[in-house]
Amino acid sequence: MMANGGVIIIRKLAFVLLMCVSLVCVSLPCVTPPAAWAQLNFGPVQVTGFYRDTLYLSTDHSNPNNRNLVRNGKKPDIVLAQQFVDLAFYWPMDQHFSLLFEPRLYHDFTDPLESGFSHTFRAYDAFPREFRGNGLMARVGSREFMAEADQLYLDYRNGPLWIRAGKQSIAWGEAIGVQILDIVEPLDLTRQLFVDRAFEEFDTYRIPEWFIRANYTIPLPQLDIPDFTVETLVNPGQTVPQLLPAQGSPLNLVTSVVKFRERVRQGQPTVGARLFGTFKNDYEFGLYALSFPDGGGAALAKGLVPDKRGFPLLGPGAGLFRVALDNRHPRSNMLGWSLSFPVNPLGAFIRFENANRVDQPLVKFNRVVRRARSQFFFEIDRPVYWIPKENALNVTFNFTEQYTYGSKHNVTEIGTPLDPTRQTAVLFLQQPLFNSRVSLESLTIYNTDGDFWLQNGFEWSYGNHQKVDAFYNHFSGSGSEKRQGGSLAALTFARGMFFRYTWGL
Amino acid sequence: MIAHEWTRRRLLKTAATFAGAGILQPVLPLVGAGKTAEAAYPEEVLDIDQYTKGRVKVGMIIDKNNADLIKDIAPEGLYYELKQGWTRIKIGKTNPDESALIPVPWTEATLRNKGRAVLDKTGNVWDRSPGTYWIGGDPFPEPKKALELIWDHGFSIRRYDDITITVTDEVIDPSGSQAHLSDAVAYKIQTHGRIYVDPKPSIDDYADNLFRQVFTTLSPFDVNGLSSLSIVFYDATKYPGLDLYIPTLKRTHSVPTTQRFDTLGPYGVEFVSDFDLQGDPILTWGWTVADRKPMLLPSAVNLGARAPAGSTSTDSFVFAPEPAVRFPTTTWELRPDVIFLDGQCHIPGCPYGKKRLFFDLISRRAQSADMWDKAGKLWRFAMFSWGMSGIKTGGYDVPDLTGIEFCDLQSGFHEHFHFYNKIEGIPFAVNSGYTIDQIASDAALQRASRR
């Protein structure tokens, strides 16, 4: 006992020491003068990038999804501790060609750091990608370290023609932070779910895939659309599912009764096209079509698998089992449109977006069924000057309605009964202060089922190279303890505060 | 003092019915005859020694100890900067040659098209042929009212059909330390009043634009690749359009453009509204002439980062880049004919009580401005210095902006922009014949994206 107690004390001291080091890192900008220089150049290659430390402290209960998968039922103190390096090498070869290579390096030290405190977790893979064909993601590493070629592409520009070929991040649509038309590529939720700083949207979540993307501008002055542009994109067959945190990891989303397995079939192309332009200078429009393997997928039960961390599903004494759940990614097709324009008398900007999935994959009696689904999005942006001599308060409000057509009887989605109509309202406020050195930010996402997510915090820019931010995530909702996947209220275990320190070139 | 009073009376008398530069005779015919403006003014307003009765001489260094010598002939903001010891200036010789600041082909177009410009009832400028956009050159070289002055300043501030600008932006905090440094490249395409490259005089597909400007930040890391596309409309009552390419969003995004009074980035001293001294559409402000007299304005010898290598060791008063200097030393000269153009902003949320542009009637352009807050307290000062870029195009020298200084007189923050002939392999250039589809459309912004 004494020995154990000694180890615990040493671990706690080590934790306190680490916290002190982190605090010194965070407070360093207060005491050191900022140095400033531009990005690095190696011959014609321009290099920029940053290093980031993230520490996410839990303030609530243990993750109920991890029952049996962790050492104890204690609330973890730390749900994420990571280092992240993002570099961008940009080589403008001539007026037509340029090359971009953006490697990213990650180091996760959540488990070692947390072990000094609650000692909750068993070893888990911080960067899971267990599916066939994952080598195309250009990721290598171990449970705690990962290196990837996040983006690697060649650009060709010649007058109105642009071609980008390679591994690239593609975002479509007007809606920011809401996936309506922005579904070309799946998201990687393995690191911090989707609850990192909201203002940065999906930059570190979106999984770049191998695409050839081309667009061509055809002026149509007779229709008052001088910048009419046609864009096509083709991914010849790389399929990547939406990546979820490993089961047993702090932010795991999948109940431990289930053994979740990705079943990915490579060779399914993604093909898309959009037409966009500006009508009468003010009205920006887009028409979209996309055919792709659904990243979210539909999960089907495949029987029981014996597992020493399982449950006595066949009765006492019959052994421990978990339900094998295979997530498949059938093809889906989407048609949509977007429209945005200023409303000058209101000093506002209005956006509309609509996506229609004719064959959204869902599950009924453990079989994939298809349903048509529509999503409608409306947003208003309105800056307000209310603090003398300070920048405007940016106010963004948006509302999304999702409707699923056809019979809903016994149809499930993410393991829960299908909700045919879902409404979500988002209010985002951003107030820059002190010549934009500090940005106060507040995000509220309210779902009409009664769930909500609040993220409040600030980012402080110090000099050219350093940023510190701190945000608090709060999830709640009516009957939150009973709610299942797909509900914000089911994320109460992710309540907590995260701090980030960033140093950049 | 006698010289001061005499000249002031003469200038005010002229100002009562002013029709362009000149006291003894109009400047414009002299320029048309290939001469400078020298013959249009009495000697005492062309020579600061005579004008100040020997108190201020060419070559004199003005600092906080002798700033009172120039109090009557300097913008209030410059005087404040000098008294605080935040900068020093050198007195330069008056250069009455407008080609030191304005490209010769533009002056030729001004002379060629003189008398053709008209204002409609809203205050927008047109060619006298009904329904014809302005065709180029300063529209009102012999201005009769304040609105005509500001149109001369702002119709085509750079006086080129298109321009590629390479610039660094440095912010100095009140302690005098460098707080922020970035570099950027910008492109501007004039849609009307084009005189150099086809299509001339207008790009018909974008007829309701006045110009488009793309600004791409190269460093530091958090804004690398951040691009903005400003679309300024021909109708100067209308707010510009603004599209952003934000690298973290991986796409272009239109945003409200009523945010005219936001800084461009962390530590920024300037507002969007402040660029070119009048960055807002001209008719969103109201303009009046407050005074007319000889004043100190930045000299064309302020070549900034383009000053020949080694030259700044013998004369550093050229706005040369120096690390962690609040306001690099500059040369100012007595300009004989300066109008105080006062602007009152009509845009909701504007924090300015008043902005005063110091408008040089010889070059028909403002080069510095004082700005007051709503409480009537002097708040900001801005200087835009122009000079020769060192490059030639079409056989002509190319003058352009060489430096910008923004001063927050209340907080002590300073920000300066230095213009270079090349940054990150991108050269400064004018009249390259770019098209909007190539450079300045929503799709072009995406194509140029770096990350």
Short mmCIF file of all heavy atoms in Angstrom, two decimals, chain A residues 100-150:
data_model
loop_
_atom_site.label_atom_id
_atom_site.label_comp_id
_atom_site.label_asym_id
_atom_site.label_seq_id
_atom_site.Cartn_x
_atom_site.Cartn_y
_atom_site.Cartn_z
N LEU A 100 2.15 22.41 -53.40
CA LEU A 100 2.01 22.58 -51.96
C LEU A 100 2.14 21.23 -51.26
O LEU A 100 1.53 20.25 -51.68
CB LEU A 100 0.67 23.20 -51.58
CG LEU A 100 0.60 23.41 -50.07
CD1 LEU A 100 0.53 24.87 -49.70
CD2 LEU A 100 -0.57 22.68 -49.45
N PHE A 101 2.95 21.21 -50.22
CA PHE A 101 3.08 20.01 -49.39
C PHE A 101 2.87 20.45 -47.95
O PHE A 101 3.56 21.34 -47.45
CB PHE A 101 4.47 19.40 -49.58
CG PHE A 101 4.76 18.25 -48.66
CD1 PHE A 101 3.81 17.25 -48.43
CD2 PHE A 101 5.99 18.13 -48.03
CE1 PHE A 101 4.07 16.19 -47.58
CE2 PHE A 101 6.26 17.07 -47.18
CZ PHE A 101 5.29 16.10 -46.96
N GLU A 102 1.88 19.86 -47.31
CA GLU A 102 1.55 20.25 -45.94
C GLU A 102 1.62 19.01 -45.04
O GLU A 102 0.62 18.31 -44.86
CB GLU A 102 0.16 20.88 -45.89
CG GLU A 102 -0.16 21.48 -44.53
CD GLU A 102 -1.49 22.23 -44.50
OE1 GLU A 102 -2.23 22.19 -45.50
OE2 GLU A 102 -1.78 22.85 -43.46
N PRO A 103 2.78 18.72 -44.48
CA PRO A 103 2.87 17.60 -43.54
C PRO A 103 2.38 18.03 -42.16
O PRO A 103 2.51 19.19 -41.77
CB PRO A 103 4.36 17.28 -43.52
CG PRO A 103 5.03 18.56 -43.85
CD PRO A 103 4.09 19.34 -44.72
N ARG A 104 1.84 17.07 -41.43
CA ARG A 104 1.40 17.33 -40.05
C ARG A 104 1.93 16.23 -39.15
O ARG A 104 1.95 15.06 -39.55
CB ARG A 104 -0.13 17.38 -39.97
CG ARG A 104 -0.72 18.63 -40.59
CD ARG A 104 -2.23 18.65 -40.56
NE ARG A 104 -2.74 19.97 -40.90
CZ ARG A 104 -4.02 20.28 -40.98
NH1 ARG A 104 -4.94 19.38 -40.74
NH2 ARG A 104 -4.40 21.50 -41.28
N LEU A 105 2.34 16.62 -37.98
CA LEU A 105 2.86 15.67 -37.00
C LEU A 105 2.06 15.83 -35.71
O LEU A 105 1.78 16.95 -35.29
CB LEU A 105 4.34 15.97 -36.69
CG LEU A 105 5.28 16.07 -37.88
CD1 LEU A 105 6.62 16.64 -37.44
CD2 LEU A 105 5.46 14.69 -38.49
N TYR A 106 1.71 14.69 -35.13
CA TYR A 106 0.92 14.72 -33.89
C TYR A 106 1.60 13.85 -32.84
O TYR A 106 2.12 12.78 -33.15
CB TYR A 106 -0.48 14.15 -34.11
CG TYR A 106 -1.31 14.84 -35.15
CD1 TYR A 106 -1.19 14.51 -36.50
CD2 TYR A 106 -2.25 15.81 -34.78
CE1 TYR A 106 -1.96 15.14 -37.45
CE2 TYR A 106 -3.03 16.44 -35.74
CZ TYR A 106 -2.88 16.10 -37.07
OH TYR A 106 -3.66 16.71 -38.00
N HIS A 107 1.55 14.31 -31.62
CA HIS A 107 1.99 13.48 -30.50
C HIS A 107 0.92 13.58 -29.41
O HIS A 107 0.59 14.67 -28.95
CB HIS A 107 3.34 13.96 -29.96
CG HIS A 107 3.74 13.25 -28.71
ND1 HIS A 107 4.19 13.90 -27.59
CD2 HIS A 107 3.73 11.93 -28.39
CE1 HIS A 107 4.44 13.02 -26.63
NE2 HIS A 107 4.17 11.83 -27.10
N ASP A 108 0.37 12.45 -29.04
CA ASP A 108 -0.67 12.42 -28.01
C ASP A 108 -0.04 11.92 -26.71
O ASP A 108 0.55 10.84 -26.68
CB ASP A 108 -1.81 11.50 -28.44
CG ASP A 108 -2.95 11.54 -27.45
OD1 ASP A 108 -2.85 10.86 -26.41
OD2 ASP A 108 -3.92 12.27 -27.72
N PHE A 109 -0.16 12.71 -25.66
CA PHE A 109 0.37 12.27 -24.36
C PHE A 109 -0.72 12.32 -23.30
O PHE A 109 -0.45 12.51 -22.13
CB PHE A 109 1.61 13.09 -23.96
CG PHE A 109 1.42 14.58 -23.93
CD1 PHE A 109 1.29 15.25 -22.73
CD2 PHE A 109 1.42 15.32 -25.10
CE1 PHE A 109 1.13 16.63 -22.69
CE2 PHE A 109 1.26 16.71 -25.07
CZ PHE A 109 1.12 17.35 -23.85
N THR A 110 -1.96 12.13 -23.74
CA THR A 110 -3.09 12.14 -22.81
C THR A 110 -2.93 11.03 -21.77
O THR A 110 -3.05 11.28 -20.56
CB THR A 110 -4.41 11.91 -23.58
OG1 THR A 110 -4.44 12.76 -24.70
CG2 THR A 110 -5.61 12.16 -22.68
N ASP A 111 -2.67 9.82 -22.27
CA ASP A 111 -2.64 8.67 -21.36
C ASP A 111 -1.50 8.79 -20.34
O ASP A 111 -1.73 8.67 -19.13
CB ASP A 111 -2.54 7.38 -22.20
CG ASP A 111 -2.78 6.15 -21.36
OD1 ASP A 111 -3.40 6.29 -20.28
OD2 ASP A 111 -2.34 5.07 -21.76
N PRO A 112 -0.27 9.05 -20.79
CA PRO A 112 0.80 9.20 -19.80
C PRO A 112 0.53 10.32 -18.79
O PRO A 112 0.80 10.17 -17.60
CB PRO A 112 2.03 9.54 -20.64
CG PRO A 112 1.71 9.18 -22.03
CD PRO A 112 0.24 9.16 -22.16
N LEU A 113 -0.02 11.42 -19.26
CA LEU A 113 -0.27 12.55 -18.36
C LEU A 113 -1.41 12.21 -17.41
O LEU A 113 -1.33 12.46 -16.20
CB LEU A 113 -0.60 13.79 -19.19
CG LEU A 113 -0.58 15.13 -18.46
CD1 LEU A 113 0.79 15.41 -17.87
CD2 LEU A 113 -0.96 16.25 -19.44
N GLU A 114 -2.45 11.61 -17.95
CA GLU A 114 -3.62 11.29 -17.13
C GLU A 114 -3.29 10.22 -16.09
O GLU A 114 -3.85 10.21 -14.99
CB GLU A 114 -4.76 10.84 -18.05
CG GLU A 114 -6.15 11.27 -17.59
CD GLU A 114 -6.66 10.44 -16.45
OE1 GLU A 114 -6.28 9.25 -16.38
OE2 GLU A 114 -7.42 10.96 -15.63
N SER A 115 -2.36 9.34 -16.45
CA SER A 115 -1.97 8.27 -15.53
C SER A 115 -1.40 8.82 -14.24
O SER A 115 -1.46 8.18 -13.19
CB SER A 115 -0.94 7.36 -16.18
OG SER A 115 -1.51 6.70 -17.26
N GLY A 116 -0.84 10.01 -14.30
CA GLY A 116 -0.32 10.64 -13.11
C GLY A 116 -1.39 11.17 -12.21
O GLY A 116 -1.11 11.69 -11.13
N PHE A 117 -2.61 11.04 -12.62
CA PHE A 117 -3.70 11.62 -11.84
C PHE A 117 -4.77 10.57 -11.53
O PHE A 117 -4.71 9.90 -10.53
CB PHE A 117 -4.27 12.81 -12.61
CG PHE A 117 -4.73 13.91 -11.73
CD1 PHE A 117 -3.83 14.59 -10.92
CD2 PHE A 117 -6.07 14.27 -11.69
CE1 PHE A 117 -4.26 15.60 -10.08
CE2 PHE A 117 -6.50 15.29 -10.87
CZ PHE A 117 -5.60 15.94 -10.06
N SER A 118 -5.71 10.38 -12.41
CA SER A 118 -6.80 9.43 -12.14
C SER A 118 -6.48 8.02 -12.59
O SER A 118 -7.13 7.07 -12.18
CB SER A 118 -8.08 9.89 -12.84
OG SER A 118 -8.41 11.18 -12.45
N HIS A 119 -5.52 7.90 -13.48
CA HIS A 119 -5.11 6.60 -13.97
C HIS A 119 -6.32 5.82 -14.51
O HIS A 119 -6.53 4.66 -14.20
CB HIS A 119 -4.44 5.82 -12.82
CG HIS A 119 -3.55 4.72 -13.32
ND1 HIS A 119 -2.66 4.87 -14.34
CD2 HIS A 119 -3.42 3.44 -12.89
CE1 HIS A 119 -2.03 3.74 -14.55
NE2 HIS A 119 -2.47 2.85 -13.68
N THR A 120 -7.09 6.49 -15.33
CA THR A 120 -8.36 5.93 -15.78
C THR A 120 -8.22 4.99 -16.98
O THR A 120 -8.84 3.94 -17.03
CB THR A 120 -9.32 7.08 -16.18
OG1 THR A 120 -9.48 7.93 -15.05
CG2 THR A 120 -10.66 6.56 -16.64
N PHE A 121 -7.40 5.36 -17.91
CA PHE A 121 -7.45 4.69 -19.21
C PHE A 121 -6.47 3.54 -19.34
O PHE A 121 -5.41 3.54 -18.75
CB PHE A 121 -7.16 5.72 -20.32
CG PHE A 121 -8.13 6.86 -20.32
CD1 PHE A 121 -7.73 8.11 -19.92
CD2 PHE A 121 -9.45 6.66 -20.69
CE1 PHE A 121 -8.63 9.16 -19.89
CE2 PHE A 121 -10.36 7.69 -20.66
CZ PHE A 121 -9.94 8.95 -20.26
N ARG A 122 -6.90 2.58 -20.13
CA ARG A 122 -5.96 1.58 -20.63
C ARG A 122 -5.34 2.16 -21.90
O ARG A 122 -5.88 3.11 -22.47
CB ARG A 122 -6.70 0.29 -20.98
CG ARG A 122 -7.40 -0.35 -19.79
CD ARG A 122 -8.17 -1.60 -20.23
NE ARG A 122 -9.02 -2.05 -19.13
CZ ARG A 122 -8.58 -2.72 -18.08
NH1 ARG A 122 -7.30 -3.03 -17.98
NH2 ARG A 122 -9.41 -3.09 -17.11
N ALA A 123 -4.25 1.60 -22.33
CA ALA A 123 -3.62 2.11 -23.55
C ALA A 123 -4.62 2.04 -24.70
O ALA A 123 -5.34 1.06 -24.86
CB ALA A 123 -2.39 1.27 -23.87
N TYR A 124 -4.69 3.09 -25.46
CA TYR A 124 -5.60 3.13 -26.61
C TYR A 124 -4.90 3.82 -27.76
O TYR A 124 -3.90 4.53 -27.57
CB TYR A 124 -6.90 3.86 -26.25
CG TYR A 124 -6.69 5.29 -25.84
CD1 TYR A 124 -6.66 6.31 -26.78
CD2 TYR A 124 -6.50 5.63 -24.50
CE1 TYR A 124 -6.44 7.62 -26.42
CE2 TYR A 124 -6.27 6.94 -24.13
CZ TYR A 124 -6.25 7.93 -25.09
OH TYR A 124 -6.02 9.23 -24.73
N ASP A 125 -5.43 3.62 -28.93
CA ASP A 125 -4.86 4.23 -30.13
C ASP A 125 -5.42 5.65 -30.24
O ASP A 125 -6.62 5.84 -30.44
CB ASP A 125 -5.23 3.40 -31.36
CG ASP A 125 -4.53 3.89 -32.62
OD1 ASP A 125 -3.87 4.96 -32.55
OD2 ASP A 125 -4.64 3.21 -33.66
N ALA A 126 -4.55 6.64 -30.13
CA ALA A 126 -5.01 8.03 -30.20
C ALA A 126 -5.30 8.46 -31.64
O ALA A 126 -5.94 9.49 -31.85
CB ALA A 126 -3.96 8.95 -29.58
N PHE A 127 -4.83 7.68 -32.60
CA PHE A 127 -5.01 8.06 -34.01
C PHE A 127 -5.55 6.86 -34.80
O PHE A 127 -4.90 6.37 -35.74
CB PHE A 127 -3.68 8.55 -34.60
CG PHE A 127 -3.04 9.62 -33.78
CD1 PHE A 127 -1.95 9.33 -32.96
CD2 PHE A 127 -3.53 10.92 -33.81
CE1 PHE A 127 -1.37 10.32 -32.19
CE2 PHE A 127 -2.95 11.91 -33.03
CZ PHE A 127 -1.87 11.61 -32.22
N PRO A 128 -6.71 6.36 -34.44
CA PRO A 128 -7.19 5.12 -35.08
C PRO A 128 -7.57 5.33 -36.55
O PRO A 128 -8.09 6.38 -36.92
CB PRO A 128 -8.43 4.78 -34.25
CG PRO A 128 -8.90 6.09 -33.72
CD PRO A 128 -7.67 6.90 -33.48
N ARG A 129 -7.28 4.34 -37.34
CA ARG A 129 -7.66 4.35 -38.76
C ARG A 129 -7.70 2.91 -39.23
O ARG A 129 -7.04 2.53 -40.20
CB ARG A 129 -6.67 5.19 -39.58
CG ARG A 129 -5.21 4.89 -39.29
CD ARG A 129 -4.28 5.85 -40.00
NE ARG A 129 -2.90 5.47 -39.83
CZ ARG A 129 -2.19 5.68 -38.72
NH1 ARG A 129 -2.75 6.28 -37.69
NH2 ARG A 129 -0.94 5.30 -38.63
N GLU A 130 -8.50 2.12 -38.52
CA GLU A 130 -8.56 0.68 -38.78
C GLU A 130 -9.56 0.40 -39.89
O GLU A 130 -10.73 0.13 -39.64
CB GLU A 130 -8.97 -0.06 -37.50
CG GLU A 130 -7.95 0.00 -36.39
CD GLU A 130 -6.64 -0.71 -36.78
OE1 GLU A 130 -6.72 -1.77 -37.41
OE2 GLU A 130 -5.58 -0.16 -36.47
N PHE A 131 -9.12 0.49 -41.11
CA PHE A 131 -9.98 0.11 -42.22
C PHE A 131 -9.10 -0.23 -43.42
O PHE A 131 -7.94 0.22 -43.50
CB PHE A 131 -10.98 1.22 -42.56
CG PHE A 131 -10.36 2.47 -43.08
CD1 PHE A 131 -10.22 2.69 -44.45
CD2 PHE A 131 -9.91 3.46 -42.22
CE1 PHE A 131 -9.66 3.85 -44.92
CE2 PHE A 131 -9.35 4.62 -42.69
CZ PHE A 131 -9.22 4.82 -44.05
N ARG A 132 -9.65 -0.99 -44.32
CA ARG A 132 -8.89 -1.46 -45.47
C ARG A 132 -8.60 -0.28 -46.41
O ARG A 132 -9.50 0.51 -46.72
CB ARG A 132 -9.71 -2.52 -46.21
CG ARG A 132 -8.99 -3.19 -47.33
CD ARG A 132 -9.79 -4.39 -47.83
NE ARG A 132 -9.48 -4.66 -49.22
CZ ARG A 132 -10.22 -4.25 -50.25
NH1 ARG A 132 -11.33 -3.58 -50.05
NH2 ARG A 132 -9.87 -4.52 -51.50
N GLY A 133 -7.36 -0.15 -46.80
CA GLY A 133 -6.99 0.92 -47.74
C GLY A 133 -6.59 2.21 -47.04
O GLY A 133 -6.49 3.26 -47.69
N ASN A 134 -6.33 2.11 -45.73
CA ASN A 134 -6.00 3.35 -45.02
C ASN A 134 -4.63 3.90 -45.41
O ASN A 134 -4.29 5.04 -45.08
CB ASN A 134 -6.11 3.17 -43.50
CG ASN A 134 -5.11 2.18 -42.95
OD1 ASN A 134 -4.20 1.75 -43.66
ND2 ASN A 134 -5.28 1.79 -41.70
N GLY A 135 -3.82 3.10 -46.10
CA GLY A 135 -2.52 3.59 -46.54
C GLY A 135 -2.62 4.79 -47.46
O GLY A 135 -1.71 5.62 -47.53
N LEU A 136 -3.77 4.91 -48.17
CA LEU A 136 -3.96 6.04 -49.07
C LEU A 136 -4.07 7.37 -48.31
O LEU A 136 -3.98 8.44 -48.90
CB LEU A 136 -5.21 5.82 -49.93
CG LEU A 136 -5.09 4.71 -50.97
CD1 LEU A 136 -6.45 4.42 -51.60
CD2 LEU A 136 -4.09 5.12 -52.05
N MET A 137 -4.29 7.26 -47.00
CA MET A 137 -4.36 8.50 -46.21
C MET A 137 -2.98 9.09 -45.98
O MET A 137 -2.87 10.21 -45.47
CB MET A 137 -5.02 8.25 -44.86
CG MET A 137 -6.49 7.88 -44.95
SD MET A 137 -7.15 7.54 -43.32
CE MET A 137 -7.22 9.18 -42.65
N ALA A 138 -1.94 8.35 -46.35
CA ALA A 138 -0.55 8.83 -46.18
C ALA A 138 -0.27 9.16 -44.72
O ALA A 138 0.26 10.22 -44.41
CB ALA A 138 -0.27 10.01 -47.09
N ARG A 139 -0.70 8.24 -43.85
CA ARG A 139 -0.44 8.42 -42.42
C ARG A 139 0.41 7.26 -41.92
O ARG A 139 0.17 6.11 -42.29
CB ARG A 139 -1.75 8.41 -41.61
CG ARG A 139 -2.60 9.64 -41.83
CD ARG A 139 -3.86 9.58 -40.97
NE ARG A 139 -4.56 10.85 -41.03
CZ ARG A 139 -5.65 11.12 -40.34
NH1 ARG A 139 -6.18 10.21 -39.52
NH2 ARG A 139 -6.23 12.29 -40.43
N VAL A 140 1.38 7.58 -41.07
CA VAL A 140 2.17 6.54 -40.42
C VAL A 140 2.30 6.91 -38.95
O VAL A 140 2.11 8.06 -38.59
CB VAL A 140 3.58 6.39 -41.03
CG1 VAL A 140 3.51 5.91 -42.46
CG2 VAL A 140 4.34 7.72 -40.95
N GLY A 141 2.61 5.93 -38.12
CA GLY A 141 2.83 6.25 -36.72
C GLY A 141 2.44 5.12 -35.81
O GLY A 141 2.33 3.95 -36.23
N SER A 142 2.25 5.45 -34.56
CA SER A 142 1.94 4.47 -33.54
C SER A 142 0.70 4.94 -32.78
O SER A 142 -0.01 5.83 -33.24
CB SER A 142 3.13 4.35 -32.59
OG SER A 142 3.35 5.60 -31.95
N ARG A 143 0.47 4.34 -31.61
CA ARG A 143 -0.69 4.74 -30.83
C ARG A 143 -0.61 6.19 -30.36
O ARG A 143 -1.61 6.85 -30.16
CB ARG A 143 -0.79 3.86 -29.57
CG ARG A 143 -1.27 2.46 -29.83
CD ARG A 143 -1.07 1.63 -28.58
NE ARG A 143 -1.60 0.29 -28.76
CZ ARG A 143 -2.82 -0.07 -28.39
NH1 ARG A 143 -3.63 0.79 -27.82
NH2 ARG A 143 -3.24 -1.30 -28.59
N GLU A 144 0.62 6.67 -30.15
CA GLU A 144 0.77 8.00 -29.56
C GLU A 144 1.38 9.03 -30.52
O GLU A 144 1.50 10.19 -30.16
CB GLU A 144 1.64 7.92 -28.31
CG GLU A 144 0.98 7.11 -27.21
CD GLU A 144 1.86 6.98 -25.98
OE1 GLU A 144 3.02 7.41 -26.03
OE2 GLU A 144 1.38 6.42 -24.99
N PHE A 145 1.80 8.57 -31.68
CA PHE A 145 2.45 9.49 -32.62
C PHE A 145 1.90 9.24 -34.02
O PHE A 145 1.65 8.12 -34.40
CB PHE A 145 3.97 9.26 -32.60
CG PHE A 145 4.69 10.07 -33.63
CD1 PHE A 145 4.97 11.41 -33.38
CD2 PHE A 145 5.08 9.52 -34.84
CE1 PHE A 145 5.62 12.18 -34.34
CE2 PHE A 145 5.72 10.29 -35.80
CZ PHE A 145 6.00 11.62 -35.54
N MET A 146 1.72 10.32 -34.74
CA MET A 146 1.24 10.14 -36.11
C MET A 146 1.82 11.24 -36.99
O MET A 146 1.87 12.41 -36.60
CB MET A 146 -0.29 10.19 -36.13
CG MET A 146 -0.90 9.71 -37.43
SD MET A 146 -1.53 11.03 -38.44
CE MET A 146 -3.01 11.46 -37.52
N ALA A 147 2.29 10.84 -38.16
CA ALA A 147 2.76 11.79 -39.17
C ALA A 147 1.93 11.57 -40.42
O ALA A 147 1.63 10.43 -40.77
CB ALA A 147 4.24 11.57 -39.46
N GLU A 148 1.55 12.64 -41.07
CA GLU A 148 0.74 12.49 -42.28
C GLU A 148 1.10 13.55 -43.30
O GLU A 148 1.55 14.65 -42.95
CB GLU A 148 -0.75 12.57 -41.97
CG GLU A 148 -1.21 13.92 -41.50
CD GLU A 148 -2.73 14.03 -41.43
OE1 GLU A 148 -3.41 13.27 -42.11
OE2 GLU A 148 -3.21 14.90 -40.69
N ALA A 149 0.90 13.19 -44.56
CA ALA A 149 0.95 14.19 -45.63
C ALA A 149 -0.49 14.67 -45.75
O ALA A 149 -1.31 14.07 -46.43
CB ALA A 149 1.42 13.55 -46.92
N ASP A 150 -0.79 15.75 -45.04
CA ASP A 150 -2.19 16.20 -44.99
C ASP A 150 -2.64 16.66 -46.37
O ASP A 150 -3.67 16.24 -46.88
CB ASP A 150 -2.33 17.32 -43.96
CG ASP A 150 -3.76 17.74 -43.77
OD1 ASP A 150 -4.56 16.87 -43.38
OD2 ASP A 150 -4.10 18.90 -44.02
#
